[in-house]
Amino acid sequence: MAFQPLSDAQWERISFFIPEQEMGRPRSRDREILDAILYVLSTGSRWGELPSCFPPKSTVHDRFQEWAKARFFEKALRELSKDLPPGEVYHLDSSLKAAKKGETRLAEPALSKAAR
């Protein structure tokens, strides 16, 4: 999937979901940081491979962690998906599950009593 920055209309619809800063220097550049996060997620590149046109990688990654904890991405995706045609679905998922040490087989699917 090619990187595509948010449009002005999309930004206006989701910017209020960004959590308020609790302390520290006044925060700025939220839109640039969100575009940098979307760049990493859509291209599969590493945080350290961000082009120089984006804010520093540590700032982008820290903000990603903060926003993920506040469930910003879920709220934003839910809001933006309201415009999708019926039956079209987009997912934002990077779930990982640790394997049991020494496990060499996949779990067998549970069968109902009727299928046995």
Side-chain angles (χ1 to χ4, degrees), residues 8 32 56 63 73 93 97 109:
D8 291 338
E32 290 177 58
R63 201 74 56 86
F73 298 105
D93 183 33
K97 183 177 179 188

Side-chain angles (χ1 to χ4, degrees), residues 12 16 18 22 26 41-42 47-48 57 59 64 70 73 76 79 87 89 91 105 110 113 116:
E12 289 298 319
F16 67 92
I18 293 175
E22 295 180 17
L41 295 177
S42 65
W47 297 108
K57 67 178 180 180
T59 302
F64 172 75
F73 298 105
E79 174 64 28
V89 180
H91 296 277
R105 62 178 177 80
K113 289 182 182 179
R116 292 184 194 166

Side-chain angles (χ1 to χ4, degrees), residues 35-75:
D35 281 339
I37 291 169
L38 294 174
Y39 175 85
V40 169
L41 295 177
S42 65
T43 63
S45 64
R46 299 176 185 193
W47 297 108
E49 297 171 345
L50 275 172
S52 60
C53 62
F54 291 117
K57 67 178 180 180
S58 59
T59 302
V60 174
H61 184 262
D62 290 348
R63 201 74 56 86
F64 172 75
Q65 295 291 339
E66 176 189 336
W67 292 351
K69 188 175 181 181
R71 304 176 76 100
F72 162 75
F73 298 105
E74 294 171 30
K75 295 171 189 173

Side-chain angles (χ1 to χ4, degrees), residues 3 23-24 38 47 52 59 83 103 106 108 110-111 114:
F3 169 66
M23 56 190 212
L38 294 174
W47 297 108
S52 60
T59 302
D83 294 338
E103 188 72 33
L106 296 175
E108 308 241 345
L111 296 176

